[in-house]
């Protein structure tokens, strides 16, 4: 017992070492949150391009310019998804940090947000696409026959319903990202993992900081999983029949 | 008689399968045209071609003199004036009844929210569903859903209403309430094209009944003659099965 409290004191209290974890946690959450938002926005755009291409492919009676534009955009999206999903996120981060944003004052946190956001968008795009495809074709037909444009039908009718379908998967993506950001230390970001690592290098005690860090990640994912469950129950409310 | 829809040599094929075979006909203002026939005869495809939910592979369709089959025509402008009611209602499940009805008027016709809601309430009162305006579609019965779908289309002040088997997905005891709304519409001189299996409705309300078989208007006449003295062998055999 005394040994444990000694270890905790050494790793957390002495020299205010717990601040490494607090700052690290802050960075981890900031990166995860904004990367998720970036991933969702970009992922939705990619999914809409791909779905629109699938919907209009083979339709002879539509604007030729529009069709070639959407074909080009779809091609770009496909290449993008292949590249992002086919390479490790650490490599993507390092390319961003060491090759593209070479300026010294580029913030590591910002680069991590962009890196994880771009990475996440490729996965989110496929989540959204499956959600968009799951909506009954009759919804699009009803919207269009009421005079709504394709984009307005997507915006008011298809996307809101698809969003509900994929919300659990999106939240899951957020939870995955919390853990995935633990490699941010590679590009000089002091996230939660790096914070624990710094403490280890000061105290020469590996067990205590690493277990604490693991515990914090576990706690975070448990909390967010519970929130997701709540959200799902609330969203199902208007699906119940009287 | 003023022509509202002119259909010229309309054809549609899915791959090698010819579904509509060179159909030419006019639909005049105030017409109530009922389309009957065996399944696979092309009824629904013909109806869905009229607002381009199915894109024809041949021929042309004119609405109010505008060629809607021309790729340069803004189809959204045309669809504003063509109401459509589906077999499976296709209400928007994530929106309340009132929101279902006001979405398009607000965004397409640019009505204010209060104008649109006012109008929706009048229509909902007419079909006896005003107390349902704040509920979601899945809390309604099939007959109620279809009545909402009809008034949702009417919100746009369409010049013609297309009905694609509007009562086929309903329990028998709910068919009447939907047909009653459609009869009201016919009385108000709404132009209607109705794909239906309700022969009683066709006989009572339509001024033209057409028999679609093998992708063609195989026979067309006034309802009296259509049902009493059909001069078409295939129609006789069809009627003997369904009447």
């Amino acid at each position: 017992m005394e040994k444990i409290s000694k270890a905790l004191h050494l790793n957390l209290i002495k020299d205010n070492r717990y601040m490494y974890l607090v700052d690290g946690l802050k960075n981890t959450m900031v990166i995860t949150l904004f990367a998720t938002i970036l991933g969702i926005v970009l992922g939705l755009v990619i999914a809409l391009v791909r779905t629109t291409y699938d919907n209009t492919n083979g339709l002879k009676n539509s604007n030729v310019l529009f069709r070639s534009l959407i074909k080009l955009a779809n091609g770009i999206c496909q290449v993008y998804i292949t590249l992002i999903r086919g390479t490790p996120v650490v490599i993507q981060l390092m390319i961003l940090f060491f090759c593209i944003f070479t300026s010294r004052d580029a913030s590591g946190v910002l680069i991590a947000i962009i890196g994880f956001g771009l990475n996440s968008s490729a996965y989110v795009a496929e989540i959204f696409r499956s959600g968009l495809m799951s909506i009954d074709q009759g919804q699009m037909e009803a919207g269009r026959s009421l005079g709504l444009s394709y984009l307005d039908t997507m915006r008011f009718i298809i996307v809101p319903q698809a969003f509900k379908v994929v919300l659990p998967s999106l939240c899951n993506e957020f939870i995955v990202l919390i853990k995935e950001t633990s490699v941010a230390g590679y590009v000089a970001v002091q996230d939660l993992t790096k914070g624990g690592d710094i403490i280890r290098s000061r105290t020469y005690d590996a067990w205590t900081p690493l277990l604490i860090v693991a515990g914090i990640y576990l706690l975070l994912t448990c909390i967010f999983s519970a929130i997701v469950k709540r959200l799902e129950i609330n969203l199902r409310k208007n699906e119940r029949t009287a | 008689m003023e022509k509202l829809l002119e259909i010229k040599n309309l054809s549609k094929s899915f791959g090698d399968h010819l579904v509509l075979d060179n159909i030419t006909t006019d639909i005049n203002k105030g017409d109530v045209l009922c389309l009957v026939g065996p399944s696979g005869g092309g009824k629904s495809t013909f109806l869905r071609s009229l607002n381009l939910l199915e894109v024809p592979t041949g021929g042309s369709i004119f609405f109010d003199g505008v060629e809607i089959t021309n790729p340069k025509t803004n189809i959204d402008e045309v669809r504003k004036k063509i109401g459509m009611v589906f077999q499976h209602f296709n209400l928007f499940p994530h929106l309340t009844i009132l929101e279902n009805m006001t979405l398009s008027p607000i965004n397409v016709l640019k009505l204010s929210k209060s104008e649109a809601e006012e109008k929706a309430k009048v229509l909902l009162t007419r079909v006896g569903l005003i107390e349902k305006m704040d509920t979601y579609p899945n809390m309604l019965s099939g007959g109620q859903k279809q009545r909402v779908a009809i008034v949702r289309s009417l919100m746009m002040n369409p010049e013609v209403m297309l009905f694609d088997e509007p009562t086929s997905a309903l329990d028998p005891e709910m068919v009447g309430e939907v047909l009653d709304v459609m009869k009201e519409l016919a009385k108000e001189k709404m132009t209607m094209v109705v794909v239906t299996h309700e022969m009683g409705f066709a006989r009572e309300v339509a001024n033209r009944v057409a028999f679609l078989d093998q992708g063609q208007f195989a026979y067309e006449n006034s309802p009296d003659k259509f049902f009493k003295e059909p001069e078409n062998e295939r129609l006789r055999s069809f009627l003997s099965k369904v009447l």
Side-chain angles (χ1 to χ4, degrees), chain A residues 59 61-62 136 138-139 141-150 152 156-157 160-161 238-242, chain B residues 48 51 53 55 69 71 75-76 79 82 84 86 90-94 103-104 107-108 136 138-139 152 156:
Chain A
L59 271 192
N61 204 308
S62 60
D136 178 33
Q139 294 287 308
E141 290 181 354
R144 297 306 303 276
S145 71
L146 283 167
L148 290 168
S149 66
Y150 177 83
D152 274 351
F156 295 118
I157 297 165
Q161 291 183 60
N238 68 353
E239 275 169 22
R240 264 182 232 140
T241 38
Chain B
R48 289 160 55 83
N51 67 351
L53 284 185
V55 181
T69 37
I75 191 62
D76 295 334
R79 282 180 177 146
I82 303 181
M84 181 142 192
F86 299 87
N90 296 358
L91 296 180
F92 308 131
H94 61 304
L103 177 68
S104 192
N107 287 289
V108 177
Y136 287 90
N138 56 14
M139 300 174 90
R152 180 177 72 176
M156 302 297 287

Side-chain angles (χ1 to χ4, degrees), chain B residues 13-219:
Chain B
S13 47
F14 294 104
D16 288 340
H17 183 52
L18 190 63
V19 184
L20 297 179
D21 186 5
N22 207 17
I23 294 177
T24 297
T25 189
D26 291 338
I27 295 165
N28 296 318
K29 275 196 177 143
D31 266 356
V32 176
L33 168 62
C34 278
L35 304 171
V36 303
S39 66
K43 305 180 299 282
S44 283
T45 308
F46 174 77
L47 191 79
R48 289 160 55 83
S49 298
L50 299 182
N51 67 351
L52 245 54
L53 284 185
E54 300 291 353
V55 181
T57 40
S60 49
I61 301 170
F62 292 83
F63 176 79
D64 254 349
V66 178
E67 190 192 353
I68 66 173
T69 37
N70 184 338
K72 291 203 177 84
T73 303
N74 182 351
I75 191 62
D76 295 334
E77 284 299 313
V78 179
R79 282 180 177 146
K80 290 203 288 206
K81 300 174 199 153
I82 303 181
M84 181 142 192
V85 174
F86 299 87
Q87 181 178 0
H88 295 288
F89 330 123
N90 296 358
L91 296 180
F92 308 131
H94 61 304
L95 301 177
T96 64
I97 301 307
L98 202 60
E99 288 165 346
N100 260 276
M101 294 178 68
T102 57
L103 177 68
S104 192
I106 289 172
N107 287 289
V108 177
L109 301 180
K110 308 295 176 200
L111 293 189
S112 73
K113 189 162 181 267
S114 60
E115 279 174 315
E117 287 183 348
E118 216 46 54
K119 191 172 174 187
K121 285 174 190 166
V122 171
L123 284 168
L124 279 174
T125 309
R126 259 184 56 187
V127 294
L129 290 170
I130 186 69
E131 76 277 12
K132 302 285 187 190
M133 68 178 194
D134 290 320
T135 58
Y136 287 90
N138 56 14
M139 300 174 90
L140 304 186
S141 71
Q144 292 173 329
K145 280 182 199 170
Q146 198 59 297
R147 282 185 278 159
V148 169
I150 293 172
V151 289
R152 180 177 72 176
S153 285
L154 291 178
M155 288 291 290
M156 302 297 287
N157 298 323
E159 290 176 33
V160 54
M161 289 281 285
L162 311 177
F163 292 86
D164 192 1
E165 303 199 23
T167 58
S168 299
L170 298 177
D171 290 338
E173 77 267 25
M174 292 170 181
V175 171
E177 62 192 62
V178 171
L179 291 183
D180 285 345
V181 174
M182 293 169 64
K183 282 176 199 167
E184 287 253 320
L185 275 180
K187 257 188 224 156
E188 291 161 17
K189 299 285 171 243
M190 172 64 79
T191 311
M192 295 160 69
V193 185
V194 187
V195 171
T196 188
H197 297 293
E198 297 292 327
M199 297 303 158
F201 175 83
R203 190 180 291 196
E204 186 186 340
V205 182
N207 67 329
R208 302 164 60 185
V209 186
F211 177 58
L212 250 90
D213 187 38
Q214 297 175 358
Q216 294 177 318
F217 271 42
Y219 182 77

Side-chain angles (χ1 to χ4, degrees), chain A residues 95-149:
Chain A
I95 289 176
L96 272 181
F97 189 73
F98 296 113
C99 307
I100 297 174
F101 293 95
T102 45
S103 133
R104 268 170 176 260
D105 32 72
S107 139
V109 173
L110 185 65
I111 289 169
I113 288 172
I114 295 171
F116 287 111
L118 293 179
N119 182 269
S120 172
S121 71
Y123 295 89
V124 169
E126 294 300 279
I127 294 174
F128 267 125
R129 205 161 73 95
S130 71
L132 291 171
M133 285 194 304
S134 75
I135 305 303
D136 178 33
Q137 194 59 38
Q139 294 287 308
M140 177 57 85
E141 290 181 354
R144 297 306 303 276
S145 71
L146 283 167
L148 290 168
S149 66

Side-chain angles (χ1 to χ4, degrees), chain A residues 4-140:
Chain A
I4 293 176
S5 81
K6 238 188 195 162
L8 285 178
H9 185 270
L10 175 70
N11 285 288
L12 293 178
I13 314 295
K14 193 162 176 246
D15 295 340
N16 281 343
R17 285 189 178 131
Y18 71 96
M19 282 310 289
Y20 288 116
L21 297 184
V22 173
D23 289 341
L25 180 61
K26 217 160 61 191
N27 278 339
T28 292
M29 292 316 295
V30 166
I31 293 169
T32 306
L33 183 68
F34 288 101
T36 306
I37 293 171
L38 180 63
I40 286 178
V41 173
L42 211 57
L44 181 58
V45 172
I46 295 171
L48 284 174
V49 168
R50 304 248 295 138
T51 312
T52 304
Y53 173 76
D54 289 345
N55 284 345
T56 53
N57 196 18
L59 271 192
K60 290 204 182 69
N61 204 308
S62 60
N63 194 315
V64 178
L65 178 70
F66 173 77
R67 268 193 300 151
S68 27
L69 271 179
I70 202 78
K71 194 174 175 184
L72 178 71
N74 181 61
I76 294 172
C77 289
Q78 258 174 327
V79 171
Y80 177 82
I81 289 176
T82 308
L83 284 180
I84 296 275
R85 297 212 297 188
T87 53
V89 64
V90 187
I91 303 292
Q92 293 163 16
L93 267 185
M94 287 165 73
I95 289 176
L96 272 181
F97 189 73
F98 296 113
C99 307
I100 297 174
F101 293 95
T102 45
S103 133
R104 268 170 176 260
D105 32 72
S107 139
V109 173
L110 185 65
I111 289 169
I113 288 172
I114 295 171
F116 287 111
L118 293 179
N119 182 269
S120 172
S121 71
Y123 295 89
V124 169
E126 294 300 279
I127 294 174
F128 267 125
R129 205 161 73 95
S130 71
L132 291 171
M133 285 194 304
S134 75
I135 305 303
D136 178 33
Q137 194 59 38
Q139 294 287 308
M140 177 57 85

